[in-house]
Amino acid sequence: MNYQIWGREQIDDESLKQMDSAMSLPISVKGALMPDAHVGYGLPIGGVLATVGAVIPYAVGVDIACRMRLSIFEVSPHVLGQQVGRYENALLENTMFGAGAELSQYNRAEHDVLDESIWSESRILASLKDKAYKQLGTSGGGNHFVEWGEFTLNQDDLGLKAGTYLALLSHSGSRGVGYAIANHFSKVAQNYHQDLPKHLQHLSWLDLDWHEGQEYWNAMNLAGRFASACHQIIHERVAKSAGLKPSVVVENHHNFAWKETITDENGEQQEVIVHRKGATPAGEGVLGVIPGSMADPGFVVRGKGNAAAIQSASHGAGRMMSRSTAKQSITQNAQKQYLAEHNVKLFGGDLDEAPQAYKDIHAVMDAQSDLVEIVGKFQPRVVRMDGRIGKKSKKR
């Protein structure tokens, strides 16, 4: 089954093989590959897959509903240079990163998502509620971040005048909750499809008319609401600490599955499950954020609703190097020089997330100009990622 590819020259052959495998499934009806694509588990990162009547837990991924949230403040970004301590401290004192990061009982947040009855409707969710409470308002490791930066609006839009504004951008997902849901239901799915070839095992699916399929679907959506709540709390706490209130908020997510309607080869309307693993919705008029790296710009975009791409776009620049290759080939000095040249201050982070490990975000955006239009540009200035800073503990 054929599928369209954006930015082919930037995509490795192994990602294409993974996408080919996904398209060979009997439940698959349409696919697309975004320009940030690289190898993942099951479905490649940057892969979009439409299936009929079934959901694939690993085509959603382990970081369910990983998302971007951008808060724009009607303040000049020059304050980052004029009041350095105020903004750095707001970031450092109100964020926490890493797989094991948990807030102390004195610093935990409250949110309606924790009061939902669905937590008690299945054994797996009931076992995760305490973890959710401890991790609400925290961020993961790896490429997750919270950062201050400059947002430049090209023309009057988003309810704002054209100009440059202070902004706060975050990237993280559903933490330990999403990870546990993904692993549990992927094992359930694989038990149902033990006859699949080894290279397709990670693409085992759950029919949505099965009890397990509905249970996963409900859990996935809860993980999405939990991830959104985490971002909301982070932004509220950081902004309050800096004495700010946002004028505009833009949020979108990837690593998720949506029920949507597409037009099949015969011109008939068909309801499908659209998996976007490391890809983001780009329906007509839909706003989203596509980040670059810790030093390179990201973009607020508006979707064009391209049907061939299943109304999708990239979720970022995409990796050019694996984590191990990046650590072996990029030096600390090279990373520091790159950050200095781009006027970025980094707290935490590691060489596997160095800007040089990522594709050129400008080339990625050029490759998907028929998928999204650029509304504005975000340039990172003060970046917080996982990694020790002084002697700070992972628990507060």
Side-chain angles (χ1 to χ4, degrees):
M1 192 182 297
N2 294 327
Y3 55 92
Q4 196 160 326
I5 304 170
W6 279 260
R8 171 64 184 93
E9 65 281 359
Q10 304 173 67
I11 301 174
D12 61 284
D13 291 341
E14 286 303 311
S15 295
L16 297 183
K17 289 180 181 178
Q18 284 192 318
M19 196 66 201
D20 290 342
S21 294
M23 294 298 292
S24 73
L25 297 174
I27 57 172
S28 298
V29 293
K30 193 169 184 177
L33 202 55
M34 301 298 102
D36 59 340
H38 56 94
V39 174
Y41 288 102
L43 195 65
I45 310 302
V48 184
L49 184 69
T51 60
V52 175
V55 62
I56 306 170
Y58 252 53
V60 169
V62 296
D63 194 8
I64 297 173
C66 188
R67 66 187 55 224
M68 308 297 306
R69 183 181 175 104
L70 178 73
S71 292
I72 304 171
F73 308 93
E74 294 189 66
V75 174
S76 168
H78 292 148
V79 297
L80 293 174
Q82 297 166 349
Q83 303 174 50
V84 179
R86 175 181 177 182
Y87 291 94
E88 290 182 0
N89 289 339
L91 196 60
L92 295 174
E93 293 173 2
N94 295 282
T95 59
M96 182 174 291
F97 290 80
E102 295 181 352
L103 295 170
S104 73
Q105 60 179 325
Y106 305 107
N107 199 30
R108 289 177 188 164
E110 298 291 338
H111 193 279
D112 290 347
V113 72
L114 294 177
D115 298 327
E116 293 189 29
S117 61
I118 189 174
W119 291 102
S120 61
E121 292 177 7
S122 72
R123 184 177 298 177
I124 178 68
L125 292 181
S127 71
L128 293 172
K129 187 172 182 181
D130 185 59
K131 180 182 288 292
Y133 185 42
K134 292 176 180 177
Q135 294 193 327
L136 182 64
T138 67
S139 304
N143 63 355
H144 295 160
F145 59 77
V146 184
E147 54 195 28
W148 291 110
E150 303 172 6
F151 177 70
T152 302
L153 192 61
N154 301 332
Q155 59 188 20
D156 293 0
D157 205 338
L158 307 177
L160 298 172
K161 295 290 186 182
T164 302
Y165 299 85
L166 175 68
L168 182 71
L169 181 64
S170 57
H171 173 219
S172 190
S174 48
R175 309 290 286 109
V177 171
Y179 183 84
I181 290 170
N183 282 318
H184 172 77
F185 284 100
S186 185
K187 289 176 183 176
V188 172
Q190 289 181 41
N191 284 335
Y192 272 109
H193 298 285
Q194 296 180 32
D195 57 336
L196 281 176
K198 186 175 181 180
H199 72 286
L200 293 178
Q201 280 293 313
H202 279 308
L203 293 170
S204 296
W205 64 90
L206 296 169
D207 284 14
L208 285 177
D209 58 4
W210 296 347
H211 170 75
E212 295 89 344
Q214 278 301 310
E215 194 174 25
Y216 171 75
W217 188 262
N218 293 336
M220 178 195 72
N221 278 280
L222 175 63
R225 296 191 294 276
F226 176 72
S228 182
C230 284
H231 283 263
Q232 180 185 338
I233 288 163
I234 292 168
H235 280 241
E236 286 177 352
R237 287 184 167 185
V238 174
K240 182 178 179 180
S241 179
L244 299 170
K245 288 187 178 181
S247 296
V248 176
V249 173
V250 179
E251 185 173 350
N252 65 312
H253 60 291
H254 47 275
N255 294 359
F256 208 69
W258 290 259
K259 289 182 180 179
E260 298 182 7
T261 301
I262 63 171
T263 303
D264 65 20
E265 296 176 353
N266 301 316
E268 299 289 334
Q269 297 289 296
Q270 183 178 32
E271 184 178 86
V272 294
I273 304 302
V274 179
H275 304 73
R276 294 184 176 97
K277 187 167 184 187
T280 192
E284 186 172 1
V286 173
L287 289 172
V289 182
I290 300 177
S293 72
M294 62 171 67
D296 297 304
F299 299 89
V300 170
V301 298
R302 182 174 281 113
K304 294 184 176 182
N306 190 309
I310 319 180
Q311 303 191 85
S312 306
S314 79
H315 82 310
R319 297 194 71 89
M320 185 171 63
M321 300 181 191
S322 68
R323 295 186 181 280
S324 58
T325 300
K327 287 185 175 181
Q328 293 166 6
S329 59
I330 302 171
T331 65
Q332 290 281 358
N333 286 338
Q335 183 189 46
K336 288 179 180 178
Q337 182 178 345
Y338 196 104
L339 292 170
E341 289 172 352
H342 291 76
N343 190 26
V344 173
K345 187 168 185 178
L346 173 66
F347 293 95
D350 204 346
L351 292 177
D352 59 344
E353 288 302 324
Q356 299 94 319
Y358 283 83
K359 297 179 184 180
D360 180 351
I361 184 61
H362 300 288
V364 168
M365 297 306 297
D366 287 345
Q368 58 184 342
S369 59
D370 58 337
L371 306 184
V372 294
E373 64 171 321
I374 294 174
V375 174
K377 181 176 77 171
F378 174 87
Q379 177 60 50
R381 289 294 176 228
V382 183
V383 180
R384 174 71 173 105
M385 302 183 78
D386 190 21
R388 292 196 57 165
I389 299 177
K391 296 183 178 179
K392 287 184 179 290
S393 167
K394 277 197 170 185
K395 282 201 175 187
R396 339 186 258 192

